[in-house]
Amino acid sequence: MSGSVPLQADVLPSGSEHYVALSLPRWGDVEEYARKRSSVAAGAAGYEESGLHRYVARLTRVLRDKYAKEREECLCFPSYTVAKRCREYIRVAVAGSEGARNAKVRILQLSTARPLTDEEASSKKECKIAVAFVAGPYFTHMLDYWRLSGEMVSSRVAKYVLHELFMIEKSQAVASSSTSGHRGENEEKDFIESRYGRQVNFTFAATAERLVKKRIATKMVDLDDEATLTNSTPVLDMDIVALQMHQHSDYDDDDDDDDYGNVGVAGENIQSLVPAESMSVEVNTIDNGSVADAHVNPETDIFLFASGMASLYTTVRLLTKLDEQRQTLRNNRGTASPGPEQHSKKTVVLGVPCHDTYEMVTTLSKSYFIPENGTDGLSKLKEILHSGEQILAVITETPTNGLLDVTNLVELKQLSELFGFYIVVDESVGGFVNVDALVYCDIVCSSLVKMFSGTEDVVSGSMVVNPQSKLYDFAQTFMASEHEPSSVLWCEDIIQLEQNSRDFVSKSKRINTATKRLLRDVILPQRGTIFTEVHHPSITDRAQYNLIKGKQDGGYGGVFAVQFSTLERARSFYDRLNVCKGPGLGGDYTVACPWQLLNQYDEVDKTLIRVSVGLEDYDVLKRAFEEAIAA
């Protein structure tokens, strides 16, 4: 990232054709988007309206026109195994309903050609996808699976497959569905030009994946390894010196004079030189107080996924499989007896998460939802535990997506040791630099499209398994049989993710500082007048957050939320705020959204506006909020 990002409310600042964020510049746009999501749920929407990237939507139309039977719709998945999971999801969803036997899912496997020479391998790769077809009335269930599981085909895969499989053949399906007689010809020309203009070398993918995993595990950029990936132009020595001075500066989150907000990063291909903070796990054993030290192995303990939702979904499947084995073992031993142990254990969603997370867990597993995330939430959890019911796991975001609440992971860890449940933490909002939660949980999941990538043009996710967890051996066995690395992240996606994340540590620190200054200078002075509530870990849950705050580079994060006395005031502030608007967070630019309007929780105030601070010039950002407040 070079320099500062300009503010602009009506567009999102990305030149990438693979950009995944939405622009919702006015409150009315958010309301319209929410209505469209409802129409998708009702089945009254096309592919683009369903939230598919334009390349994925185009590929889906082509495949439907070429292979679908009458009144069938289709969707693409990264593997045959994933498509079968979608088929099973639909079977369960429609079971017992009228006409359920008509909800049959056909699966077609397609593959592009393999490269024939080493030279071809730099720009050609075998790509396998699975296409699932279902009768139109049941297509919404397929879209639900795509959204909740996160097991999706990326825009780069769709673009590559379109070119390799269909564009050269001049698909009759594309031509017949075009509104212009030259549409198919023009699309083919666009894809051929893109193909010959491609700069990415596919053979770098394995090295890029290794670097990404290592970066997650250690928060460190390996300069020697990255040199093999960088086709950079020469950089002036003065630029390198400036970058070193900026990125080696000590960061003290309690020092009000710290300011990285106006420091530009020179040279897009320069690697981050921030000293590494190893993701070292110190596990306190409650029984004897001993401390074990373990280091995450990037190759064996970190798994990458097509999205953050896919990492959470896989974790839920892992836990469900473990519980199924428990029940099978008890039945085989003949020890099953009437009571809670005979049935599936429930999973607890603690705190108010992203609504897709809530819907996924509550749809795909037996569960409890405890919206409170502080003392009240733990008290309700204790009531369940002390009733004699055994639970399988607690899934929690920390900080949470909307209210920025922080779970008391220390006490939760103690409860898990006493009552034998597992802990899964989604730290996407805080990020690897700011949050060190692994010591208190069994699995950490994250959406890498946010702070780690920053540019929001690569949908991806990760799962980190705690090597000291009692779940570790089973998790390794499960992932060895269920995880399909070749179908999870396409080579172009992992290479782009590696490039995007090279300076994620320095960007996180700059955003932390800008957020602290914005809260201090503009937001908090208006608490009690313009804003009725201000939510940020440094304000509402500072003591709890300090227990999981990154020891070396960590801050309190770049996401905060504000509430208003009336909906009209919230609407006016949102419409006048001259920053980007939409549901994204953790990007290089500041973005705001009416969080409750998009997530529809009764437990959250309707006036809540969440803000994710970016890398803009601080003075410009400060002025944007001051003007919105004064209007």
Side-chain angles (χ1 to χ4, degrees):
M1 184 72 201
S2 179
S4 296
V5 179
L7 291 172
Q8 193 170 2
D10 57 344
V11 297
L12 294 174
S14 174
S16 173
E17 61 183 342
H18 299 286
Y19 205 59
V20 296
L22 292 170
S23 177
L24 302 171
R26 300 187 67 81
W27 192 278
D29 298 324
V30 182
E31 292 175 326
E32 178 63 23
Y33 175 71
R35 283 193 292 269
K36 282 186 177 181
R37 291 183 64 174
S38 298
S39 70
V40 170
Y47 289 126
E48 284 87 350
E49 290 81 1
S50 301
L52 304 183
H53 187 279
R54 62 188 179 95
Y55 283 135
V56 178
R58 185 186 300 179
L59 175 61
T60 303
R61 285 196 304 268
V62 170
L63 293 170
R64 179 195 61 191
D65 294 343
K66 191 175 184 69
Y67 296 112
K69 296 179 180 179
E70 186 177 2
R71 297 180 181 177
E72 276 189 335
E73 298 291 348
C74 69
L75 206 54
C76 303
F77 294 94
S79 73
Y80 179 67
T81 302
V82 173
K84 287 197 298 182
R85 284 200 285 268
C86 177
R87 179 167 61 190
E88 177 63 14
Y89 173 85
I90 294 175
R91 185 191 68 79
V92 173
V94 303
S97 64
E98 184 178 351
R101 63 180 181 179
N102 296 323
K104 295 180 179 179
V105 177
R106 297 189 302 114
I107 301 175
L108 172 68
Q109 297 184 75
L110 297 174
S111 175
T112 64
R114 297 179 180 179
L116 300 179
T117 65
D118 291 342
E119 183 179 358
E120 273 194 348
S122 66
S123 61
K124 192 179 184 71
K125 182 180 176 66
E126 182 182 32
C127 180
K128 296 180 180 180
I129 64 170
V131 191
F133 298 86
V134 71
Y138 304 98
F139 183 58
T140 54
H141 296 296
M142 192 172 286
L143 288 171
D144 285 343
Y145 180 82
W146 171 287
R147 175 174 56 87
L148 297 179
S149 73
E151 296 187 312
M152 56 184 63
V153 167
S154 77
S155 59
R156 289 180 178 84
V157 168
K159 182 176 179 179
Y160 182 82
V161 172
L162 275 168
H163 177 271
E164 292 295 307
L165 290 182
F166 298 108
M167 288 301 118
I168 294 180
E169 298 176 3
K170 295 185 179 179
S171 170
Q172 293 181 352
V174 173
S176 63
S177 64
S178 65
T179 57
S180 168
H182 299 288
R183 176 181 171 185
E185 180 181 342
N186 291 337
E187 286 182 341
E188 179 183 357
K189 180 180 178 181
D190 291 343
F191 276 92
I192 290 176
E193 288 178 352
S194 175
R195 169 70 184 277
Y196 287 115
R198 181 180 285 125
Q199 300 296 317
V200 175
N201 187 329
F202 287 9
T203 61
F204 289 160
T207 303
E209 180 177 354
R210 178 169 54 84
L211 287 170
V212 166
K213 288 183 175 181
K214 187 174 183 180
R215 202 164 292 159
I216 292 171
T218 65
K219 306 184 184 72
M220 178 177 65
V221 174
D222 190 324
L223 295 178
D224 292 335
D225 285 340
E226 290 205 352
T228 65
L229 286 176
T230 306
N231 297 318
S232 59
T233 55
V235 181
L236 294 177
D237 291 342
M238 287 297 292
D239 289 339
I240 297 176
V241 171
L243 183 66
Q244 290 174 332
M245 290 177 63
H246 161 52
Q247 294 187 338
H248 276 300
S249 299
D250 292 333
Y251 176 77
D252 178 5
D253 195 68
D254 294 322
D255 184 356
D256 288 341
D257 294 329
D258 285 340
D259 179 17
Y260 295 102
N262 296 320
V263 180
V265 180
E268 293 183 356
N269 292 315
I270 294 296
Q271 298 85 359
S272 174
L273 301 176
V274 178
E277 177 188 348
S278 176
M279 189 181 284
S280 179
V281 183
E282 294 182 352
V283 179
N284 295 313
T285 304
I286 293 178
D287 293 338
N288 55 24
S290 64
V291 177
D293 183 68
H295 293 273
V296 171
N297 185 326
E299 297 301 319
T300 60
D301 303 340
I302 296 177
F303 302 90
L304 301 181
F305 295 87
S307 66
M309 283 301 298
S311 69
L312 279 167
Y313 171 65
T314 302
T315 300
V316 170
R317 290 199 301 115
L318 184 157
L319 293 168
T320 301
K321 185 68 173 180
L322 177 65
D323 195 47
E324 289 173 354
Q325 289 194 6
R326 173 191 63 84
Q327 295 178 75
T328 300
L329 183 62
R330 286 180 56 82
N331 291 335
N332 290 342
R333 289 176 176 174
T335 58
S337 58
E341 274 294 305
Q342 190 175 359
H343 306 291
S344 300
K345 293 182 181 180
K346 292 184 178 180
T347 296
V348 175
V349 178
L350 182 61
V352 178
C354 166
H355 197 272
D356 283 348
T357 298
Y358 163 79
E359 189 176 350
M360 183 270 290
V361 176
T362 56
T363 299
L364 301 178
S365 65
K366 296 181 178 180
S367 59
Y368 288 111
F369 175 44
I370 302 177
E372 298 88 355
N373 203 29
T375 302
D376 291 343
L378 287 179
S379 295
K380 291 185 178 181
L381 176 62
K382 291 175 186 177
E383 289 179 10
I384 297 172
L385 297 171
H386 288 304
S387 72
E389 179 175 358
Q390 293 189 3
I391 65 171
L392 177 60
V394 171
I395 296 178
T396 184
E397 292 180 352
T398 193
T400 55
N401 201 291
L403 295 172
L404 287 307
D405 292 333
V406 179
T407 306
N408 186 337
L409 291 180
V410 175
E411 186 173 357
L412 188 62
K413 175 66 175 176
Q414 293 172 344
L415 290 173
S416 75
E417 294 285 351
L418 291 172
F419 291 95
F421 60 85
Y422 301 104
I423 301 173
V424 178
V425 172
D426 181 349
E427 54 73 83
S428 299
V429 174
F432 298 124
V433 173
N434 295 322
V435 176
D436 285 344
L438 193 62
V439 63
Y440 300 112
C441 67
D442 301 281
I443 292 176
V444 171
C445 295
S446 186
S447 171
L448 301 181
V449 74
K450 297 180 173 66
M451 183 63 71
F452 188 75
S453 173
T455 56
E456 295 196 81
D457 62 349
V458 183
V459 181
S460 51
S462 67
M463 171 204 291
V464 182
V465 183
N466 187 339
Q468 294 295 313
S469 168
K470 296 176 182 178
L471 186 63
Y472 184 80
D473 289 341
F474 179 83
Q476 291 294 332
T477 301
F478 178 88
M479 295 303 291
S481 63
E482 296 286 333
H483 195 52
E484 301 175 286
S486 61
S487 65
V488 170
L489 276 181
W490 174 240
C491 56
E492 292 174 283
D493 289 317
I494 189 65
I495 291 171
Q496 189 64 52
L497 180 63
E498 188 279 323
Q499 293 175 356
N500 291 353
S501 62
R502 290 177 185 177
D503 58 350
F504 87 101
V505 175
S506 63
K507 289 194 295 187
S508 296
K509 292 168 65 176
R510 290 174 60 193
I511 288 172
N512 287 343
T513 300
T515 305
K516 181 179 65 177
R517 293 184 66 192
L518 186 64
L519 287 169
R520 181 196 63 196
D521 298 344
V522 181
I523 304 300
L524 289 178
Q526 300 297 331
R527 183 168 55 176
T529 55
I530 300 297
F531 309 119
T532 57
E533 296 286 346
V534 178
H535 303 270
H536 187 253
S538 67
I539 301 168
T540 53
D541 290 301
R542 191 182 187 97
Q544 295 300 333
Y545 188 90
N546 284 340
L547 296 173
I548 60 173
K549 179 182 170 186
K551 297 177 180 62
Q552 180 170 318
D553 297 314
Y556 293 96
V559 183
F560 67 90
V562 292
Q563 291 176 212
F564 299 80
S565 58
T566 67
L567 201 59
E568 289 72 21
R569 286 192 174 185
R571 179 192 292 266
S572 175
F573 176 84
Y574 182 80
D575 287 347
R576 294 176 183 274
L577 182 61
N578 189 29
V579 300
C580 298
K581 316 282 183 62
L585 66 86
D588 293 345
Y589 55 89
T590 298
V591 60
C593 78
W595 194 83
Q596 197 276 346
L597 191 57
L598 291 173
N599 288 271
Q600 298 295 315
Y601 280 109
D602 293 336
E603 296 83 2
V604 178
D605 191 279
K606 292 183 179 180
T607 69
L608 186 78
I609 293 178
R610 186 191 66 193
V611 177
S612 176
V613 176
L615 298 173
E616 299 91 347
D617 180 275
Y618 176 73
D619 291 334
V620 176
L621 184 64
K622 178 173 177 283
R623 185 163 57 251
F625 279 85
E626 288 174 337
E627 291 174 352
I629 290 171

